[in-house]
Amino acid sequence: MRINKGLLIYVRMLIVGLVGLFGVLTIIASVENPPKKDYVWVKPNGTGQDYNRDNYACMQESQQRVSEYSREGRSAASSSTVQTNETLYNACMNARGWSLQEYKSEEDKAAEKAAAKKAMEAAKKAKKQAREIRRDGSFIAYDNGTVLDTSTNLMWAAKDNGIDIDWGDAKGYCENYRGGGYIDWRMPTQAELATLNDANQSRPTPCNPKYSIHIATKLIDITCFRVYASKQLPIGAENFNFYASKGEGNFVASTHRALPVRDE
């Protein structure tokens, strides 16, 4: 039996293409549907018996009868089923002192403890090596590219990332930042960014000198209007607008910057 070489090559290419497509679809699926985190109900000094009692009570309080037709968008109902209203259940558990927290295994806890110890050791070393170079009110600039605000005990990077960036990349930039030798940098909250705002201070915005930004100190170089905050929104994320001197929610990446912060 003779096999057409052209057909054989075509079949091989088709198989390779399908394998590649399957790999791409697998990657996309993992991005769009990341593994769900496990959460557990936690209550200070709560016991297993307390949980069983409160869980049973809240399950009873949150039961609702739902008609089969109603669930399909119809008005009439021929049969019904009982379902737990998750919102009512959660409210009931919260009222009894329980809160949902991400489950952490002993390995996770040990890893977090080791990371915290490593960060503390790095901070001690970095602080010992840093030299003060300038002061501006409550702000102290060091020769390692960091600025400490003694009024909030927050340490800031002396400058932002310098270019337009989206929220996800901004988060990665802050968490992977290693300025000054510190390894515990993070994204600031909107409230923390607000502490850098001073409506009485004004200077041209590097990304558009026609407008001014209001930064409490000249020791921190913010190059555009908005700096991302750590809270994500259904669309976009929170930020602080140093031109308007207010916190915002915005999903447009232009005019946004990343500014790492850490707790001193």
Side-chain angles (χ1 to χ4, degrees), residues 13 33 40 56 81 89 96 107 111 129 136 141 146 169 179 182 192 202 210 231:
M13 291 179 64
N33 303 289
V40 293
Y56 178 79
T81 183
Y89 175 80
R96 292 170 179 265
E107 292 79 5
Q129 295 176 342
D136 179 16
T146 65
D169 289 339
Y182 298 97
E192 289 171 338
S202 182
K210 293 182 180 180
K231 184 178 180 180

Side-chain angles (χ1 to χ4, degrees), residues 124-198:
K124 288 181 180 179
K125 182 178 179 180
K127 188 173 183 179
K128 185 177 181 180
Q129 295 176 342
R131 183 174 63 89
E132 180 182 329
I133 56 175
R134 191 178 173 188
R135 285 186 178 241
D136 179 16
S138 64
F139 296 91
I140 304 174
Y142 295 93
D143 62 353
N144 60 7
T146 65
V147 176
L148 175 65
D149 182 358
T150 57
S151 67
T152 61
N153 217 32
L154 292 173
M155 177 173 284
W156 298 89
K159 58 182 180 180
D160 61 30
N161 68 304
I163 59 174
D164 290 347
I165 191 171
D166 62 31
W167 186 87
D169 289 339
K171 185 174 186 293
Y173 177 87
C174 291
E175 293 178 350
N176 293 305
Y177 190 70
R178 294 295 179 262
Y182 298 97
I183 62 175
D184 55 351
W185 295 95
R186 57 178 175 81
M187 286 188 93
T189 66
Q190 197 174 68
E192 289 171 338
L193 287 168
T195 66
L196 296 180
N197 180 251
D198 185 348

Side-chain angles (χ1 to χ4, degrees), residues 31-182:
V31 172
E32 294 183 347
N33 303 289
K36 292 184 178 180
K37 295 181 180 179
D38 292 327
Y39 290 87
V40 293
W41 286 103
V42 177
K43 179 180 181 179
N45 300 319
T47 65
Q49 185 176 359
D50 294 333
Y51 169 78
N52 291 335
R53 180 190 65 245
D54 293 339
N55 174 61
Y56 178 79
C58 289
M59 288 288 288
Q60 295 298 312
E61 291 182 19
S62 60
Q63 296 296 302
Q64 290 187 329
R65 189 168 294 279
V66 180
S67 68
E68 294 295 337
Y69 283 172
S70 294
R71 288 190 296 169
E72 297 176 5
R74 303 174 187 176
S75 57
S78 61
S79 62
S80 61
T81 183
V82 175
Q83 292 184 348
T84 299
N85 185 306
E86 187 174 350
T87 301
L88 293 178
Y89 175 80
N90 290 346
C92 176
M93 291 294 283
N94 291 156
R96 292 170 179 265
W98 295 90
S99 61
L100 274 178
Q101 295 185 15
E102 183 181 346
Y103 172 77
K104 295 179 181 178
S105 65
E106 292 303 319
E107 292 79 5
D108 293 334
K109 293 178 182 178
E112 286 187 355
K113 187 175 181 180
K117 182 179 179 181
K118 184 178 180 181
M120 184 179 296
E121 292 173 350
K124 288 181 180 179
K125 182 178 179 180
K127 188 173 183 179
K128 185 177 181 180
Q129 295 176 342
R131 183 174 63 89
E132 180 182 329
I133 56 175
R134 191 178 173 188
R135 285 186 178 241
D136 179 16
S138 64
F139 296 91
I140 304 174
Y142 295 93
D143 62 353
N144 60 7
T146 65
V147 176
L148 175 65
D149 182 358
T150 57
S151 67
T152 61
N153 217 32
L154 292 173
M155 177 173 284
W156 298 89
K159 58 182 180 180
D160 61 30
N161 68 304
I163 59 174
D164 290 347
I165 191 171
D166 62 31
W167 186 87
D169 289 339
K171 185 174 186 293
Y173 177 87
C174 291
E175 293 178 350
N176 293 305
Y177 190 70
R178 294 295 179 262
Y182 298 97

